[in-house]
Amino acid sequence: MGKPCKTAILISGSGTNLQAFIDAVDSGDLDLELCAVFSNNPDAFGLERAEKAGIATACIQHADYPDRESFDQAVIAELDRFEPDLLVLAGFMRILSPRFVTHYAGRILNIHPALLPLYPGLNTHQRVLDAGDEWHGSTVHFVTEKLDAGPCILQGRVAVLPGESAQELEKRVQAVEHRIYPQAAGWVGSGKVKFSKGESWIDGAKAEMPRVVTFK
Ligand code: GRF
């Protein structure tokens, strides 16, 4: 067996997805080495979760930098100290500059709370309810320069229940995220999933569509 993929997780807030990674690694279900947790927000609760789990933390505040470029350059310098193979964005509320994405080309994952390409952007749960959609869920995808538009890897979907609120729907989608994100990252870490020529490849075949798992 090779060495586990060194993975840095980037957060801005509560870090429930980060916790799902910590738990999956602890239980032996996920073969990644969580080498660092980075936040742009010193008050992010996820930093406490990381410290409790004995993972190195780093924090740089974007407000201390005049522009996105210089902030991203500082983040790159900080992250590279940990020599990560993979970056996992888990509620990291910053748009990444092209320079950042190029530096880690094909090595950044994001999770977006919608069945992409549906509903890029914010307020996805309310937008799904407003549209009367039958299905909602979350998507793990590779990050490219275009926001919420990189090639998809894995989607978890749930049926929208009659009369449920955006908050209730969000809670159910978050529970799905905690299942699919560690799984998809594990696929990338093991080499089952790769990014090449701007596409995701699953088991050596170009993935025209993400894998989709339906949850109750
Ligand atoms: C998740 O719902 C994810 O879809 C979005 O940000 C949220 C992060 O939540 N990108 P948490 O900080 O992991 O609890």
Side-chain angles (χ1 to χ4, degrees):
M1 283 226 315
K3 282 211 292 187
C5 173
K6 289 183 79 174
T7 304
I9 301 190
L10 282 69
I11 60 162
S12 297
S14 151
T16 64
N17 279 283
L18 163 65
Q19 190 65 53
F21 275 82
I22 293 171
D23 294 345
V25 169
D26 279 355
S27 66
D29 289 341
L30 179 62
D31 189 28
L32 296 179
E33 178 191 335
L34 304 181
C35 63
V37 170
F38 176 87
S39 176
N40 64 314
N41 168 16
D43 300 323
F45 182 62
L47 289 172
E48 286 180 38
R49 297 180 191 270
E51 276 159 24
K52 199 164 162 217
I55 304 168
T57 60
C59 181
I60 299 177
Q61 287 183 263
H62 55 272
D64 292 342
Y65 290 81
D67 50 36
R68 195 183 302 284
E69 279 295 318
S70 54
F71 170 70
D72 278 7
Q73 196 49 49
V75 178
I76 289 172
E78 185 68 15
L79 286 174
D80 279 354
R81 293 196 304 121
F82 300 98
E83 302 182 334
D85 301 310
L86 182 67
L87 302 188
V88 166
L89 308 184
F92 186 60
M93 300 304 284
R94 301 291 303 164
I95 293 173
L96 303 172
S97 62
R99 182 182 189 161
F100 188 99
V101 175
T102 303
H103 186 82
Y104 298 108
R107 296 193 287 141
I108 313 176
L109 300 182
N110 185 40
I111 189 158
H112 180 74
L115 298 173
L116 289 173
L118 298 176
Y119 308 109
L122 299 174
N123 297 323
T124 56
H125 313 295
Q126 190 59 54
R127 287 157 68 202
V128 164
L129 291 179
D130 292 347
D133 289 358
E134 193 181 347
W135 294 99
H136 186 33
S138 195
T139 305
V140 181
H141 64 96
F142 285 108
V143 171
T144 57
E145 284 182 24
K146 240 177 124 198
L147 190 67
D148 297 334
C152 297
I153 300 168
L154 178 60
Q155 290 186 325
R157 66 174 195 165
V158 291
V160 178
L161 301 177
E164 78 180 319
S165 67
Q167 288 74 20
E168 287 163 339
L169 186 52
E170 176 176 12
K171 214 167 149 211
R172 291 199 302 126
V173 168
Q174 274 217 332
V176 167
E177 294 189 330
H178 301 157
R179 306 275 296 278
I180 64 169
Y181 208 0
Q183 179 172 15
W187 286 352
V188 176
S190 70
K192 175 184 171 73
V193 168
K194 290 184 169 39
F195 178 90
S196 172
K197 301 176 195 147
E199 310 273 0
S200 39
W201 299 69
I202 304 181
D203 293 327
K206 196 198 288 186
E208 307 290 351
M209 304 284 287
R211 295 281 163 91
V212 182
V213 182
T214 302
F215 291 85
K216 287 262 182 225

